[in-house]
Amino acid sequence: MTTLFPTLNNKNSAVALIENNVLITYSDLNEKIDRFAKGLLGSESDLNEERVAFFIPASEDYVTTLHGIWRAGGIAVPLNVASAVTELDHYLKSANVTRMIASGKYKESLKELCSELEVELIDAQEILNRSQHKDLPAIDQSRRAMMLFTSGTTSKPKGVVSTHAIISSQITTLIDAWEWTSSDVVPLFLPLHHIHGIINILSCGLWSGATIDLYQNFDITRVCASVAAENYNVFMAVPTIYVKLIQHICKLPSSEKDRICAGFSSMRLNISGSAACPVKLFNEWKALTSQTLLERYGMTEIGMGISNPYHGERRPGHVGQALPGVDIQLFDDEDNLIDAENLAGEIRVQGDNVFLEYWDNASATEESFIDGWFCTGDVAVLDNGYYRIMGRSSIDIIKSGGYKLSALEIEGTLLTHENILEVAVLGTPDETWGEAVTAFVVLKSASKLDYQDLKNWCDGRMSAYKVPKILHIVESLPRNAMGKVTKVNLKDCQ
Ligand code: MCA
Ligand code: AMP
């Protein structure tokens, strides 16, 4: 039998997952994954990198499905359960998915789409009940294991493919750097279709033999109660969550506030990532909880690349240094390596952590590498030995609450509104979200549109977190001599 994670075996009686206060041991989870993998295989001996999609919130079923697909030799395609169903069409088609796993209300919501696309929609439980006695395939580490979708900028979202070896490298690097152990207990409330939730929390936790307390969404009251009860010793979140926690905690009566702050203070580690952590936030969190946030930098295509140290100086406004085994260099616009401090350049990455390919898109894969370096599109400087992120090379990428959003995708949807003639979308600075999706709209003559109309119209047409937070109706959009909208000029039009 192939066990890809060393802790997932029949002898490990430690608690792997907590789901709604129910404790699930590693051995129970292992047995279930085994059964699931065999049920999924049916009469086949190996899924041979079939893309199996699943639409499952954080739960034992999610973990069983992910690992079951891995053990059966498939490529796991976890989908965002907060997506508008219309957005899933592209993912299923571009990954050539023929089987999708979901249950309950999630399964219901997919019935129409799956039948239209001739995708078989299966309940996780049904697969477990199908169990057959057979051997599982031996999985070579070089085989493809997972496909996560990155937001498209100029094109539709692309499937980022990683092998088992890449995933192992991403996990073990972080376990060493952040000193994960089997005594760790961590809450997991981030979505499970991105690296932050899947690799940094779920997989590092399970690989280490730690305990993961599962949340189906960021339930701030429950999180704070568990922190106050000192249930956790590690906490990982995006900056927006720390902002929300500060706002929430500071409104509470002082006895409750003190218990929650003491809970955070007693932890061994609080990490922030997925978006820039403002220095103000770093300082406020420290003042409130006495925790020095560890900020790190990553990307779907590379896992984590740069991190402040577990021991040593964690410098506010900086993401730290290259993680062991990850090569990081900055390059200028002419592709020359920058070997001096305080000169801005694009972050490029090499290492065992870097993804294999964009699925079925050799040209996009090729374009994203220069001389073997993966080009992130993020701009940074090296400042006294630590990297500081300066921004992104594309104004069309928005980071809102840790989600990377494509301005062009949102514009494309808004343009189908009958009253909208032209639209430009960009991220504008926002204390809570980092950047707020802001739409500048030119209306068709004699048309009207207010914010609430737009918000209602977006419902079901795009994921709720992509819906513009701000609407500006403008007479025209600024354009350059070539007729291209100059979005930078819009920043002044607010
Ligand atoms: C929710 N809303 C948002 C966002 N999330 N608006 C903009 N941006 C968002 N990210 C809106 C909802 O549409 C809703 O609007 C209102 O906020 C309340 O929604 P709710 O779901 O209750 O909010 P929440 O639970 O407080 O969610 C905020 C969140 C969530 C927990 C910060 O956005 C989140 O989980 N973000 C993390 C995403 C993540 O894991 N990213 C990592 C990818 P209305 O009320 O108007 O309907 S990056 C990555 O993996 C790389 C490798 C890395 O470096 O880590
Ligand atoms: P994604 O492609 O969704 O995985 O998002 C990755 C992007 O998030 C990176 O390319 C960065 O732009 C951004 N990011 C991640 N961590 C940080 C950080 N600590 N500071 C600034 N930006 C970050």
Side-chain angles (χ1 to χ4, degrees), residues 189-191 194-197 200 217-218 238 240-241 244 273-275 296-300 303-304 399-405 433 455 464-466 469:
F189 39 71
L190 292 179
H194 276 310
I195 293 278
H196 198 157
N200 295 23
N217 53 21
F218 177 60
V238 298
T240 297
I241 287 183
K244 287 185 175 233
S274 300
R296 64 17 171 222
Y297 162 88
M299 194 175 178
T300 305
M304 295 303 108
K399 260 278 164 169
S400 170
Y403 279 120
K404 187 173 180 179
L405 309 177
W433 300 108
K455 194 165 185 288
Y465 55 83
K466 296 180 187 168
K469 296 256 185 278

Side-chain angles (χ1 to χ4, degrees), residues 386-401:
Y386 278 35
Y387 288 100
R388 180 155 47 89
I389 309 286
M390 309 292 288
R392 286 178 293 275
S393 51
S394 170
I395 199 166
D396 290 323
I397 296 174
I398 302 169
K399 260 278 164 169
S400 170

